[in-house]
């Protein structure tokens, strides 16, 4: 018996059902529910394997879920179907970047830029790759091209400033990070980055003000930690201890925070807490010469010479 062709009404209903399902998947994607959007787009791709929109949303869902291997498979299929679309090449570059396949990431970013030379976002992504590879001068060239194409985007100025900071070109870093902050004064990272530059310029009071503002906008442990260091430089050990404690409370498994907190308690004479945090730092990172040395110094100060010698020996082993 021959298969009966769908009537126009049946065909319309089938297509309409797919549209509804696609819109449901997009809403789930927009809500960040990637585990729910993926099965929908997989179903749609099975129904219409040549539909680029379905494949694109499936690949994006995998990407946002950080399932880069499956995202790679999908975007390779997309590019086979549409090899001249810059967006897809840039996405594939981002996937390779996340997978640390930097050679392939570079190839895809260059293809995207070749296809869309005026896209400032693609140039920025290429700059990020060069930054990752520590090719800082080449990264800055990409970031500057991005900023020339989109002068109102603070991200690119901040990237330039941050790269100059890594190169220890502090005046250039200051200039560009100020431009980023002028464009968006309520971005916590710009306040922090500018404060960090002033810290490297030994202007601790200005650094304190800016990083305090960053914490007000986004109280993350890294900001508290830097503020603790600056407070110590300003001889405000009480505030230093407070900020190191805040960093630790937010990220207790960070060995550096444990180490600094232990040293601060040592400094203020609370040896019990100092011992606890310095021991914990070593538990979290047992090959760090500095941590063993700090604990050994504390034990020596407490007249526990045998224990101190043991940790001095471990410190030397770490350095050998």
């Amino acid at each position: 018996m021959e298969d009966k062709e769908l009537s126009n009404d049946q065909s319309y209903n089938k297509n309409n059902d797919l549209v509804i399902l696609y819109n449901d998947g997009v809403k789930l994607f927009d809500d960040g529910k990637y585990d729910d959007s993926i099965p929908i787009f997989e179903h749609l791709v099975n129904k219409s394997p040549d539909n680029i929109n379905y494949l694109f949303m499936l690949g994006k869902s995998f990407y946002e879920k950080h399932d880069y291997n499956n995202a790679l498979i999908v975007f390779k299929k997309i590019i086979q179907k549409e090899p001249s679309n810059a967006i897809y090449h840039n996405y594939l570059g981002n996937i390779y970047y996340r997978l640390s396949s930097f050679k392939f990431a570079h190839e895809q970013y260059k293809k995207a830029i070749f296809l869309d030379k005026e896209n400032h976002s693609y140039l920025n992504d290429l700059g990020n790759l060069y930054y990752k590879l520590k090719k800082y001068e080449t990264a800055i060239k990409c970031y500057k091209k991005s900023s020339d194409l989109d002068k109102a985007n603070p991200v690119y100025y901040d990237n330039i400033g941050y790269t100059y900071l890594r190169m220890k070109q502090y005046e250039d870093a200051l200039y560009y990070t100020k431009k980023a902050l002028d464009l968006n004064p309520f971005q916590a990272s710009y306040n922090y980055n500018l404060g960090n530059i002033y810290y490297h310029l030994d202007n601790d009071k200005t650094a304190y003000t800016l990083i305090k503002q960053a914490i007000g906008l986004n109280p993350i442990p890294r900001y508290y930690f830097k503020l603790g260091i600056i407070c110590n430089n300003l001889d405000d050990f009480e505030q230093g201890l407070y900020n190191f404690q805040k960093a630790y409370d937010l990220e207790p498994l960070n060995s550096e925070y444990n180490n600094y907190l232990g040293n601060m308690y040592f400094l203020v004479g609370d040896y019990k807490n100092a011992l606890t945090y310095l021991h914990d730092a070593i538990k979290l990172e047992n090959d760090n010469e500095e941590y063993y040395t700090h604990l050994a110094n504390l034990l020596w100060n407490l007249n526990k010479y045998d224990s101190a010698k043991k940790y001095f020996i471990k410190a030397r082993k770490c350095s050998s």
Side-chain angles (χ1 to χ4, degrees):
M1 180 178 179
E2 294 183 359
D3 292 334
K4 183 180 179 182
E5 291 186 4
L6 290 172
S7 68
N8 288 336
D9 286 344
Q10 287 175 308
S11 178
Y12 171 81
N13 290 335
K14 178 184 176 183
N15 291 331
N16 195 46
D17 288 344
L18 293 179
V19 170
I20 292 170
L21 192 58
Y22 174 79
N23 289 336
D24 289 343
V26 170
K27 185 177 187 309
L28 289 166
F29 176 88
D30 290 341
D31 291 340
K33 297 177 180 178
Y34 310 120
D35 285 329
D36 295 325
S37 68
I38 286 170
I40 290 177
F41 294 125
E42 285 179 327
H43 174 76
L44 290 169
V45 168
N46 288 333
K47 291 288 185 182
S48 302
D50 292 326
N51 188 302
I52 292 293
N53 288 333
Y54 297 166
L55 282 165
F56 185 46
M57 289 306 302
L58 178 59
K60 285 173 65 177
S61 295
F62 280 129
Y63 181 84
E64 294 299 336
K65 190 189 172 186
H66 301 170
D67 185 349
Y68 301 121
N69 288 309
N70 274 317
L72 181 64
I73 293 168
V74 175
F75 273 96
K76 280 184 174 181
K77 290 179 180 178
I78 292 172
I79 285 176
Q80 285 178 345
K81 296 177 184 299
E82 287 199 15
S84 299
N85 190 308
I87 293 173
Y88 304 147
H89 284 287
N90 195 71
Y91 254 103
L92 191 55
N94 286 334
I95 293 165
Y96 278 126
Y97 180 93
R98 298 296 182 186
L99 292 170
S100 298
S101 297
F102 300 129
K103 178 183 176 182
F104 293 119
H106 184 264
E107 289 175 0
Q108 294 302 319
Y109 287 145
K110 295 290 279 188
K111 285 180 180 179
I113 292 166
F114 176 78
L115 291 165
D116 188 357
K117 295 178 178 60
E118 300 299 308
N119 192 299
H120 47 85
S121 178
Y122 300 166
L123 284 160
N124 183 67
D125 288 340
L126 181 60
N128 289 340
L129 175 62
Y130 285 127
Y131 178 90
K132 181 74 173 178
L133 297 173
K134 298 184 179 179
K135 297 181 178 180
Y136 298 132
E137 291 183 359
T138 310
I140 285 172
K141 288 179 182 178
C142 292
Y143 294 144
K144 285 186 175 179
K145 287 179 181 177
S146 294
S147 65
D148 288 342
L149 291 166
D150 187 5
K151 297 182 188 303
N153 193 324
V155 170
Y156 306 144
Y157 297 117
D158 185 61
N159 285 346
I160 296 167
Y162 194 81
T163 308
Y164 275 127
L165 174 61
R166 290 301 299 267
M167 297 169 70
K168 299 184 179 179
Q169 296 183 22
Y170 299 125
E171 293 301 330
D172 288 326
L174 198 66
Y175 173 78
Y176 283 100
T177 308
K178 277 184 175 179
K179 289 189 76 168
L181 190 61
D182 287 344
L183 288 167
N184 187 358
F186 300 108
Q187 176 62 39
S189 62
Y190 303 163
N191 281 273
Y192 174 83
N193 290 341
L194 188 57
N196 197 25
I197 296 165
Y198 278 114
Y199 165 78
H200 284 283
L201 290 169
D202 297 322
N203 188 339
D204 288 320
K205 288 185 178 179
T206 304
Y208 176 91
T209 299
L210 286 160
I211 293 176
K212 190 80 173 174
Q213 287 173 189
I215 290 171
L217 293 164
N218 186 19
I220 63 175
R222 182 163 59 95
Y223 296 174
Y224 280 112
F225 179 70
K226 177 63 77 172
L227 193 61
I229 293 173
I230 292 168
C231 288
N232 280 5
N233 289 349
L234 295 169
D235 294 327
D236 190 345
F237 300 124
E238 182 178 346
Q239 279 298 305
L241 179 60
Y242 169 82
N243 284 292
F244 287 135
Q245 186 69 58
K246 289 290 289 185
Y248 167 84
D249 290 343
L250 291 167
E251 194 177 337
L253 298 182
N254 186 303
S255 63
E256 191 174 21
Y257 299 166
N258 279 272
N259 177 62
Y260 265 83
L261 197 51
N263 286 327
M264 284 303 301
Y265 278 118
F266 182 18
L267 186 65
V268 300
D270 186 342
Y271 300 133
K272 181 179 179 182
N273 272 320
L275 281 169
T276 297
Y277 288 110
L278 290 175
H279 273 296
D280 286 347
I282 290 171
K283 288 177 184 176
L284 291 164
E285 189 177 342
N286 63 9
D287 58 352
N288 191 303
E289 177 189 0
E290 182 184 2
Y291 298 171
Y292 284 112
T293 301
H294 290 164
L295 182 55
N297 287 331
L298 172 58
L299 291 166
W300 192 271
N301 191 70
L302 295 173
N303 300 324
K304 296 182 178 181
Y305 302 118
D306 290 339
S307 295
K309 288 176 183 177
K310 181 180 73 172
Y311 285 106
F312 278 128
I313 290 169
K314 288 187 176 183
R316 282 199 298 271
K317 287 181 178 179
C318 289
S319 63
S320 61

